[in-house]
Amino acid sequence: NTPLLDSREPFGIAYETPGPKPISLEVTNHFSGQASAITKVVTVTGDIAPEIAFNFDDNVCTATPVQFSSSGEIGSIADFFWDFGDDIGTSPDVNPAYQYTLTGEFQVRLRVTGTNGCNNESRHQLVMYSPPVAEFHEPQGLLCTNNEFTISNNTTDLFDGFLSYQWLIGGIPASTDRDLVYTFPDTGPQTIKLITTIPGCSDEVEKITSPFLDGPTIDFSFEGKCQSEDVAFSSLITETVTDHTWNFDDGTMVNEIDPQHAFADAGMYSVTLTATSANGCNNTRTKLVQVFSKPETEFEALPPPQSCSGQPTPFFDLTPNPIDSELASWSWDFGDPDSPETTDDQDPIHTFAQSGDYVVSLTVTTDEGCAKTVEEEITIHPSPSVNISHTTTCLNQNTAFTAVGDDIDSY
């Protein structure tokens, strides 16, 4: 009485014992909610149905036949019947090949009849696609060697991850990415070919560009990587060019050969150098420059009774970790002429012999080498001084004590 399957045509039910088997079907009208049921008895014999299974090659293209292969107790099977699920094709062969003319998802069924008259069935889903149509736009305009081009792939991709690409320049494989990013090293016309493939078929398109001119080789180096500090850029162009244009990706552009530039904010910048040669080639080179944060240095010294002359004064570093690096080192200068030593402790203790105002500085450096120094004036308060005197001390007589001192608030 327990429902086993809720499909219209249940599949995969196998009885392990012979005998009569009551089978019940209940259908429900989703609009009215009314249900109707029927039960029939199927008699299962003691004969064993032949084992059967099948697989197929990885072809998903309608331009190529799909090869199916059956497996199991082939010797005990008298008849094969393949239904390829497209309402068109069937086959009685053991291992048929079938070419689909329609696209979509199909359920393939293999029904077999054993020599003992028992039937069995195996099912699989497969998906078929039309062949791909390769297409791209070749580069246009003034074409120069040593300049990076992005060639857009215009092939329609409705292949659910089955589509792959192969780009060739002059017959030599160049990339398997969807879009081709390529720097042409040779002058003259260039042959670009795109091959698009799904399992079972492929398509290709070949185009010849306009002649390439000899363009300058653009390259540059840089030193420095800290926020608000100059980064030194150096052009590595060896050919003769008419100008250098730098774009620092922060709204700043300069026309210098080897500029210096300070980035106000940390982050990743796409820095581009553009140079023009006498033949009009306007080549560029872009590099990523990561600029790291400077630490937001901060510290505190505790108020009295800690900040008093002649007493240890503790200092605490309050600098937070930057989001792109870690704090690595600390350098303290207490501005104390009586004790001019410095320390690299994160939270040091220093004793000021004299009261007064001192300018204390802390420099914090990250593991990326970026540092920031802050100075803060602190006040060291005078510690109280006291002298104690007393009257003559005799056994069983009161002794009077007197305290005299400076900067004393309470005893």
Side-chain angles (χ1 to χ4, degrees), residues 393-399:
T393 303
C394 297
L395 183 65
N396 296 323
Q397 291 186 6
N398 289 332
T399 301

Side-chain angles (χ1 to χ4, degrees), residues 161-339:
F162 286 106
L163 185 62
S164 62
Y165 311 96
Q166 178 65 68
W167 293 89
L168 298 97
I169 306 297
I172 300 174
S175 175
T176 57
D177 294 336
R178 176 172 173 84
D179 295 326
L180 175 63
V181 179
Y182 190 76
T183 299
F184 292 85
D186 300 320
T187 58
Q190 303 296 317
T191 301
I192 306 173
K193 178 185 286 188
L194 170 63
I195 303 173
T196 57
T197 303
I198 63 174
C201 62
S202 63
D203 186 49
E204 63 182 54
V205 59
E206 183 177 282
K207 299 183 180 182
I208 300 177
T209 70
S210 301
F212 274 72
L213 302 180
D214 189 19
T217 301
I218 309 299
D219 197 9
F220 64 89
S221 63
F222 58 91
E223 292 185 4
K225 56 180 179 178
C226 294
Q227 171 189 6
S228 302
E229 292 184 1
D230 280 340
V231 178
F233 291 89
S234 299
S235 169
L236 302 179
I237 301 172
T238 58
E239 296 98 326
T240 300
V241 294
T242 58
D243 60 21
H244 293 71
T245 301
W246 297 82
N247 185 334
F248 296 111
D249 195 28
D250 63 353
T252 304
M253 297 179 66
V254 298
N255 295 103
E256 300 177 22
I257 297 177
D258 300 318
Q260 292 188 345
H261 181 70
F263 296 89
D265 300 313
M268 190 72 74
Y269 295 88
S270 296
V271 177
T272 300
L273 170 60
T274 302
T276 305
S277 60
N279 62 4
C281 282
N282 199 38
N283 285 9
T284 64
R285 178 68 185 275
T286 299
K287 291 185 178 182
L288 292 177
V289 176
Q290 184 169 8
V291 177
F292 290 92
S293 304
K294 282 190 173 183
E296 295 297 326
T297 305
E298 184 180 356
F299 69 90
E300 70 172 358
L302 296 182
Q306 281 79 15
S307 300
C308 295
S309 60
Q311 301 294 322
T313 300
F315 290 85
F316 296 96
D317 169 42
L318 304 179
T319 308
N321 259 322
I323 61 174
D324 55 7
S325 54
E326 299 288 335
L327 302 182
S329 64
W330 296 262
S331 178
W332 295 83
D333 186 334
F334 301 106
D336 183 0
D338 295 327
S339 182

Side-chain angles (χ1 to χ4, degrees), residues 14-19 21 44-46:
Y15 295 100
E16 296 182 355
T17 59
K21 309 295 181 182
V44 178
T45 70

